[in-house]
Amino acid sequence: MATKQPPEPPAEGAASPANGGLSEADVVAMHSDPRFLLLKQRLYRFIFPMSLAFMVWYLLYVLMSAFARDLMSTPVLGQFNLALVFGVLQFVTTFGIAILYSSYSRKNLDPAAADVRKALEEKAADE
């Protein structure tokens, strides 16, 4: 029984179907394109501060649960204490960040990504 051989990788510098018909050199060259750099800058402008803020918020919750037990056990509403409220707010924060990212992406990242994609498609069509 013959075994199926994987397809040969394209020759160095040749167009690859995995890259949308672009050569590896074209894809690497796009990494220094101002449109791609703008896309990366916009992405990082959102993810780094948001990630840092969420990590600080999460660590505050963990540290207060470990070292401020009296404060965290303070009743807020009936059987609900401050620790439970903080825990629920962790989920609310997570969903809030996801919604903010979706909105930010739609306004700032998607148009820039479309520009980069269009440039790459034009480059592939020229070859």
Side-chain angles (χ1 to χ4, degrees), residues 14 28 31 40 45 71 74-75 87 90-91 94 100 104 112 116 122:
V28 170
H31 288 196
K40 279 181 29 176
R45 191 179 300 153
L71 177 64
T74 304
Q90 291 291 317
F91 288 100
T94 301
L100 282 173
Y104 181 84
V116 170
E122 287 172 357

Side-chain angles (χ1 to χ4, degrees), residues 42-71:
R42 287 179 179 175
L43 175 66
Y44 294 159
R45 191 179 300 153
F46 182 88
I47 63 172
F48 286 133
M50 196 59 67
S51 297
L52 180 63
F54 184 78
M55 288 304 295
V56 167
W57 165 234
Y58 177 73
L59 288 174
L60 174 69
Y61 171 64
V62 170
L63 291 173
M64 287 184 67
S65 294
F67 299 110
R69 289 181 180 262
D70 291 339
L71 177 64

Side-chain angles (χ1 to χ4, degrees), residues 16-40:
S16 165
N19 290 337
L22 293 167
S23 70
E24 187 175 332
D26 292 334
V27 174
V28 170
M30 183 52 77
H31 288 196
S32 61
D33 186 281
R35 293 167 290 202
F36 182 76
L37 296 174
L38 176 66
L39 176 61
K40 279 181 29 176

Side-chain angles (χ1 to χ4, degrees), residues 94-109:
T94 301
F95 288 111
I97 289 171
I99 292 167
L100 282 173
Y101 176 77
S102 178
S103 174
Y104 181 84
S105 175
R106 211 174 313 109
K107 292 176 188 169
N108 299 295
L109 301 179

Side-chain angles (χ1 to χ4, degrees), residues 64-65 68-76 78-84:
M64 287 184 67
S65 294
R69 289 181 180 262
D70 291 339
L71 177 64
M72 294 297 272
S73 65
T74 304
V76 177
Q79 296 291 330
F80 297 107
N81 61 19
L82 194 57
L84 184 60

